[in-house]
Amino acid sequence: MKKSLVALAFGTLALGITEYVMMGILADVALSLGVSITKAGHLISAYALGVTFGAPLLTVAHKYGPKNILLVLAGVMLCGAVLSSLAPDYYTLLIARFISGLPHGAYFGVASIAAVRLADEKHQNSAMSVMVAGMTVANLLGVPLGTALSSGISWRVPFVFVIIVSIAVLYYIWKWVPYIEALPDHGYKRQFGFLKNGAPWLIIIATMLGNGGIFCWYSYISPILTDEGGFTEAMLPLLMIAAGGGMVIGNILSGRLSDRYSPGRVAGYTQGLAAVVLLSIFFFAGYGWVSAALMVVCTACLFGASVPQQFLILKHAPGGEMLGGASIQMAFNLGNALGAFCGGLPIDAGLSVNYAALTGMPFAFAGFCLLMIFCKRYEQRQ
């Protein structure tokens, strides 16, 4: 079981580097391709839109075993990384980012089912957190390394690193993930049946808003730390390591807490904390180390909410577990796109970059409210 979960985590590692490295290299990409920092931010949105379009494709793949689907998705990861590393201009990179996002939601949907099936009932949230751990390790080590390589050599080098990791994903899934039977085939329409209930919608919308709120701020973390916090460009890799450390801590804690307590409340309180922290970042962005400490707490909230939300959607998507697992990633990345866009609005209007955090606070608070409604209506009933 442990080897299988590690193999799944390699996949989320590749996806995590691909998705989040853009935040650290945004300024380098903008300078190299001759576009504004706000226009470069659309590369974050392009990835998120790729996730949104790619996840529903699972509806035509539900007849196949999870292992085979994961291998195909790993192949798409590799193709996206190759195209990103070779992109000659902004619009080619935009297309490459879209392609790179296509396997993201689908991979999480299938890998979530595999992780739950490989674990015993008492440790399913913990197994989910191991699978998601690759994403946190990407932010702890992969993104800072990519940021350093971008500053020292070229912004293309991080994508070459993703190519290497993607090849490893293909190998380890083939080698370590056992055969898992395909989900029962209840027909095409049955996969969407869970959307008739209120619980999945509360989870999905809360996820989108909560993630969007944090990404209003996190999409512009580099200029916030340098322009407002007074940190130098050379300090960014270390600060990205600190941000990744927060994600690792949040991921581990939420997995264990969700096994012991209500997953909905763990997710809800985490998003409530994120709203408070975003407001604090707005006021204290000019105090460098205070802003950095708040950054660690906020990134811990980002992944502290993701594990219970990923588990909850599987629980409330009977007959459509694979699509449900992918839909939560659609919600995450729609939130990313929404956050990158909305966070840039006050900057385009001429306000300082710390206003991106203030813009995100109402989104995170709305996510908290929706999860509290979910807990009252569905978890207390159970």
Side-chain angles (χ1 to χ4, degrees):
M1 182 189 74
K2 291 181 180 179
K3 279 189 173 183
S4 299
L5 292 175
V6 169
L8 297 176
F10 264 98
T12 60
L13 172 65
L15 291 169
I17 297 172
T18 305
E19 180 177 14
Y20 288 103
V21 77
M22 189 55 67
M23 285 71 165
I25 67 174
L26 200 63
D28 294 335
V29 172
L31 181 63
S32 174
L33 299 181
V35 297
S36 67
I37 193 74
T38 306
K39 190 171 182 179
H42 295 164
L43 295 166
I44 299 170
S45 301
Y47 183 94
L49 291 174
V51 178
T52 305
F53 279 91
L57 296 178
L58 280 178
T59 57
V60 299
H62 68 282
K63 296 181 181 180
Y64 301 98
K67 181 173 181 176
N68 292 333
I69 299 174
L70 290 170
L71 287 170
V72 172
L73 294 173
V76 180
M77 290 181 210
L78 179 60
C79 292
V82 170
L83 185 56
S84 296
S85 67
L86 298 175
D89 53 47
Y90 171 78
Y91 291 102
T92 305
L93 183 58
L94 200 68
I95 294 169
R97 292 289 293 169
F98 179 82
I99 293 171
S100 295
L102 289 174
H104 185 118
Y107 184 91
F108 268 88
V110 180
S112 296
I113 292 170
V116 168
R117 286 194 174 190
L118 291 167
D120 60 76
E121 188 174 351
K122 292 183 179 180
H123 298 93
Q124 289 178 342
N125 279 285
S126 296
M128 192 86 72
S129 71
V130 173
M131 183 271 291
V132 175
M135 186 75 74
T136 63
V137 172
N139 283 278
L140 177 64
L141 300 174
V143 173
L145 176 61
T147 304
L149 291 171
S150 175
S151 299
I153 306 175
S154 168
W155 61 265
R156 299 178 188 276
V157 178
F159 294 110
V160 175
F161 182 58
V162 175
I163 292 172
I164 297 169
V165 177
S166 298
I167 293 171
V169 175
L170 281 165
Y171 174 76
Y172 286 120
I173 289 177
W174 170 74
K175 186 76 173 178
W176 285 350
V177 175
Y179 171 77
I180 302 172
E181 289 186 4
L183 292 172
D185 185 6
H186 298 297
Y188 182 80
K189 291 184 179 180
R190 176 69 185 276
Q191 294 181 74
F192 295 90
F194 72 96
L195 294 173
K196 295 178 181 179
N197 302 316
W201 285 109
L202 285 170
I203 299 166
I204 290 169
I205 296 172
T207 300
M208 182 185 72
L209 292 175
N211 224 53
I214 294 176
F215 263 79
C216 282
W217 154 76
Y218 196 59
S219 297
Y220 303 94
I221 185 63
S222 296
I224 288 174
L225 290 171
T226 54
D227 297 352
E228 294 293 318
F231 292 103
T232 64
E233 292 284 342
M235 286 289 293
L236 284 180
L238 290 176
L239 291 167
M240 290 299 100
I241 290 174
M247 294 177 187
V248 171
I249 293 168
N251 178 64
I252 294 172
L253 283 178
S254 70
R256 294 183 178 180
L257 289 172
S258 297
D259 277 332
R260 295 185 62 184
Y261 305 107
S262 156
R265 292 195 179 277
V266 172
Y269 292 148
T270 301
Q271 286 201 1
L273 176 60
V276 174
V277 174
L278 286 170
L279 185 62
S280 301
I281 289 172
F282 169 70
F283 287 109
F284 295 102
Y287 299 87
W289 291 109
V290 176
S291 179
L294 290 170
M295 172 191 69
V296 173
V297 177
C298 204
T299 55
C301 292
L302 180 65
F303 276 84
S306 66
V307 171
Q309 287 165 341
Q310 191 78 43
F311 177 77
L312 285 170
I313 198 67
L314 293 183
K315 186 177 180 181
H316 290 275
E321 292 87 353
M322 193 177 291
L323 182 61
S327 69
I328 208 70
Q329 290 301 314
M330 290 171 61
F332 278 129
N333 284 274
L334 280 173
N336 294 358
L338 178 69
F341 176 76
C342 292
L345 292 177
I347 301 172
D348 284 341
L351 297 173
S352 57
V353 286
N354 62 315
Y355 275 84
L358 183 63
T359 304
M361 188 277 290
F363 290 102
F365 183 73
F368 161 75
C369 293
L370 289 176
L371 285 171
M372 290 299 99
I373 293 171
F374 166 81
C375 292
K376 185 175 181 180
R377 288 186 179 178
Y378 298 98
E379 286 198 331
Q380 286 186 358
R381 186 185 303 171
Q382 292 173 353

